[in-house]
Amino acid sequence: MTPGPPPRAWLDSTGGERKVLEDNCVLGRSAECQLVLKDPRISRRHAMIHRQGGEEFWLVDLGSANGSRVNGRRVVQPCRLNDGDEIELGGITFKFRQPTLSPAARGGDDATVATLFEIKTFDCWLLVADMVGSTQLLQKTDEGKAASVTGQWLARCNLIVETHRGAINKYLGDGFLAYWSQKAGMEQEVAGALQAFKKLREGSDPLFRVALHYGVTVAGGAPSRGEESLAGKDVNFVFRMEDLASNLGTGLLLSQAATQRLGELISAEPCGNHSLAGFEGSFPFFSF
């Protein structure tokens, strides 16, 4: 029997146990976590290792009580892991392993590996969320408090996205890009997520901005639970929208395409036509 290809990334514990990282992996005391850690210093949902773009793995602290550390440094914002990094959660330590492998060692030739990076296009909803004043937060408070605030916010946002059938594609320091592949009934899910983000903005610290757009996305990479590398002009468009939301002082900004598709599911107000860097002409936008 031919053995399967070796894992691309895994965690080694100090006790010699190995946890292969294939999809997103939540670590904590809860039985619902992918890696359950029986230690009183570990929070129920302590941290998550997020597989991003197929080959990248990021550690995200989920607002844990005792924090997460990589190579001795407190994780304040999501950070990319590198082979050999030491991860400390409470009193438990892991070593992250992601050695560079040749195509043959991965269990296939170049042609096989190339098929993992097949490019496709599809219609989807794109959402960018970003904390307001994260730099000032780091300057005004201690590292542990800043890490807790950021982690708790990311955990709440992740729950909103996943509850409404979306996925976070990538973390961006103090923000993230999420998406929903268009299919029947997805307008209701996106509208529900918007309502949840609006409620979160009204009753929580930190303050944050959200930009939502609907368009065509180019996807590639080795998909894991749908989390592929997203690219294309509409991805650039929604990131420019987030910059515009900052300039306008708008908390939730929607493109015309997103507003039209949502229709009566939300109550959006026009906020004028505006230009975006890198795009010709001006575009109508709406606040929610």
Side-chain angles (χ1 to χ4, degrees), residues 104-128:
R106 289 176 178 171
D109 56 20
D110 290 337
T112 302
V113 174
T115 62
L116 297 175
F117 295 90
E118 181 182 358
I119 302 300
K120 63 179 180 179
T121 61
F122 59 97
D123 294 342
C124 75
W125 302 83
L126 297 161
L127 183 145
V128 171

Side-chain angles (χ1 to χ4, degrees), residues 4 14 22 33 40 43 50 80 87 101 110 113 125 133 142 147 149 174 183 196 210 250 254 266 277 280-281:
T14 53
E22 297 176 346
C33 294
S43 298
H50 176 78
R80 183 177 178 179
I87 301 170
L101 299 176
D110 290 337
V113 174
W125 302 83
D142 64 89
V149 170
D174 55 359
K183 59 187 71 173
V210 170
T250 301
L254 282 68
I266 62 167
E280 294 185 5

Side-chain angles (χ1 to χ4, degrees), residues 2 4 8 13 16 19 28 52 60 66 81 113 127-128 149 158 172 174 190 205 239 256-257 265 274-275 283-284:
T2 303
R8 295 196 177 187
S13 72
K19 169 63 177 177
Q52 186 163 301
V60 184
N66 291 312
L81 297 171
V113 174
L127 183 145
V128 171
V149 170
N158 183 70
L172 308 159
D174 55 359
V190 174
D205 185 34
F239 277 106
Q256 183 178 42
L265 293 172
H274 302 275
S275 60
F283 306 88

Side-chain angles (χ1 to χ4, degrees), residues 211-213 233-248 253-256 271-286:
L212 177 71
H213 179 50
K233 66 180 183 63
D234 285 310
V235 175
N236 295 334
F237 192 90
V238 74
F239 277 106
R240 296 302 185 186
M241 282 180 60
E242 196 278 324
D243 293 335
L244 176 63
S246 176
N247 294 333
L248 296 176
L253 186 69
L254 282 68
S255 69
Q256 183 178 42
C271 56
N273 285 27
H274 302 275
S275 60
L276 297 178
F279 292 86
E280 294 185 5
S282 60
F283 306 88
F285 293 98
F286 301 81

